[in-house]
Amino acid sequence: MSKKNKNLFRLVAAGLFSILFLTLLTISFYGYVLEQIGVDHAENVRNYRYHFVMIVANTDSRFWNDVFDSVREEAAKQEAYVELKEKNQSSINTMVDLMDMSIAAKVDGIILECTDEENLDEKVNEATEKGIPVVTILNDAPASERKSFVGINPYQLGQAYGCQLEKMIRKLESEGGGRDREGEYRITVLLNDSSIDSNHFQIFNQINNMMVTSEATAELVKAGAVRIPSGGAFESEEIVWNLFQSAKGPPDIIVCMDEVDTEAVYQAVIDYNRVGKTQVIGYYKSKTTLDAVRRGTMAMTFCIDTEEMGRYSVKAMMECIRDGRTNSFYSVDLQFVTRENADEFMDQ
């Protein structure tokens, strides 16, 4: 082989090697990016017929991650890919921003946790006008043009809480009481400001109505509500600490409606040596909460069936897209986890 041909061969070989190297590097980098954003490679190469987005206020919540897992699993059966939108970029500060992004991307559907954020209702209407169906979950926006709501009726939930509180007070009375210095059981319900249309306040009103009208509790209970801003753990901890340092002393029973609030209250119960004195109804089923319920250091915790919520969300979306049908309300099962049944939830 001549020297000229050898040089040409080396040049071609070097070129092929460079192309192969760059191809492998690109594949490796692409896989790394997918891993960082939590998307499986197999999920991306698969062809999907529909693209949905799910928008919630707190993507760090175990509750919402469990719901998303159920949504994603059910959607895959319907040839749909679901993207969980996060406020993790400096330019993305609000749920309205996430709605704008989703509308601009012309997604096939939006699953939305409604909050009291300004102009969010208008964005729901805008999406609907542009042919993008919106299904609301947990918190509804009945005045908007959303297609369906998947969750629990506030009246129904208030009734469920009221029944549990009545049982707790009957038990406390049978065990010798536990009333405060004024001869009452003080119940404090922690309300989250992010709940649209004051859903939590509707729940509190129903709790209060049951307490003052029940013969078992009418003369024994004083219920009050405390609003906690939706800013995060710091705001929750500060309000809870103030509650425990009140001149009247800590409440006899605290009802939490948020995972962050539950953790703050339980920590305060431990720090202020109020185990067995301040009864706590927690929210959802974190490992810490379930451990506390099983040991008896927390009275119970409230759970929504996240698998059912995810399944119904996709069902509502597909019925709208494929059949043009809407069901204004899909009711999701609820349950209170107590010491007696806590073991059933530990491995879920």
Side-chain angles (χ1 to χ4, degrees), residues 93-341:
N93 297 313
T94 68
M95 297 183 75
V96 167
D97 292 335
L98 297 177
M99 285 291 291
D100 282 333
M101 290 175 60
S102 302
I103 293 169
K106 298 180 180 180
V107 299
D108 298 299
I110 299 172
I111 299 172
L112 173 70
E113 177 204 7
C114 279
T115 68
D116 60 356
E117 188 174 301
E118 189 176 0
N119 298 325
L120 193 55
D121 272 19
E122 286 80 356
K123 291 301 173 182
V124 172
N125 296 342
E126 181 182 340
T128 303
E129 289 170 5
K130 294 184 177 180
I132 303 173
V134 178
V135 173
T136 56
I137 50 177
L138 191 62
N139 294 320
D140 196 13
S144 73
E145 297 296 322
R146 59 97 172 113
K147 296 300 183 181
S148 299
F149 167 58
V150 179
I152 299 172
N153 182 283
Y155 176 85
Q156 173 193 358
L157 185 50
Q159 288 267 326
Y161 273 116
C163 289
Q164 294 299 323
L165 288 166
E166 185 174 324
K167 290 178 185 177
M168 288 176 66
I169 291 167
R170 286 180 185 272
K171 182 179 179 182
L172 289 171
E173 283 291 284
S174 68
E175 293 174 350
R179 309 179 199 174
D180 67 7
R181 67 190 72 170
E182 297 176 0
E184 297 175 315
Y185 292 100
R186 287 192 298 115
I187 301 174
T188 296
V189 182
L190 303 182
L191 309 181
N192 195 302
D193 266 353
S194 68
S195 181
I196 192 168
D197 286 344
S198 302
N199 279 351
H200 284 181
F201 197 71
Q202 294 178 46
I203 295 169
F204 166 71
N205 280 340
Q206 186 56 35
I207 292 172
N208 190 48
N209 288 340
M210 289 189 66
M211 294 296 98
V212 299
T213 56
S214 169
E215 292 183 3
T217 60
E219 303 299 325
L220 299 176
V221 170
K222 182 177 182 181
V226 174
R227 285 196 173 275
I228 297 184
S230 54
F234 178 77
E235 290 82 357
S236 180
E237 289 174 3
E238 185 176 16
I239 290 175
V240 169
W241 287 116
N242 290 336
L243 198 62
F244 274 75
Q245 293 173 342
S246 165
K248 290 184 178 181
D252 302 295
I253 301 173
I254 300 178
V255 179
C256 305
M257 295 189 183
D258 179 88
E259 290 175 81
V260 174
D261 300 344
T262 299
E263 293 181 7
V265 168
Y266 182 63
Q267 189 59 50
V269 166
I270 300 297
D271 292 344
Y272 280 90
N273 196 28
R274 294 288 300 181
V275 174
K277 300 173 185 176
T278 293
Q279 304 295 322
V280 179
I281 298 181
Y283 185 89
Y284 205 50
K285 52 182 182 180
S286 70
K287 185 179 185 303
T288 300
T289 300
L290 290 178
D291 282 342
V293 171
R294 188 171 60 173
R295 293 197 306 267
T297 52
M298 184 181 292
M300 65 186 70
T301 189
F302 165 74
C303 283
I304 296 175
D305 189 331
T306 54
E307 189 277 332
E308 192 173 61
M309 177 170 279
R311 189 173 69 251
Y312 283 168
S313 299
V314 176
K315 179 181 179 181
M317 188 69 72
M318 297 311 300
E319 285 184 347
C320 179
I321 292 174
R322 288 180 174 169
D323 307 325
R325 292 189 289 113
T326 60
N327 183 345
S328 59
F329 178 50
Y330 290 80
S331 180
V332 179
D333 288 341
L334 59 89
Q335 187 170 14
F336 286 91
V337 182
T338 64
R339 193 172 188 176
E340 289 70 30
N341 65 358

Side-chain angles (χ1 to χ4, degrees), residues 22-69:
L22 290 173
T23 300
L24 292 174
L25 183 64
T26 301
I27 293 172
S28 176
F29 179 73
Y30 180 65
Y32 170 77
V33 171
L34 293 180
E35 182 180 351
Q36 292 304 303
I37 64 175
V39 179
D40 294 333
H41 177 68
E43 192 172 48
N44 275 264
V45 298
R46 175 178 172 180
N47 291 322
Y48 286 94
R49 187 174 180 182
Y50 305 103
H51 176 202
F52 302 150
V53 296
M54 179 172 163
I55 302 174
V56 298
N58 181 11
T59 54
D60 293 328
S61 158
R62 177 181 171 180
F63 170 79
W64 283 121
N65 278 276
D66 286 350
V67 173
F68 176 62
D69 286 343

Side-chain angles (χ1 to χ4, degrees), residues 46 48 71-82:
R46 175 178 172 180
Y48 286 94
V71 168
R72 184 168 55 178
E73 180 179 346
E74 186 66 23
K77 301 174 185 176
Q78 305 297 331
E79 300 181 276
Y81 170 67
V82 186

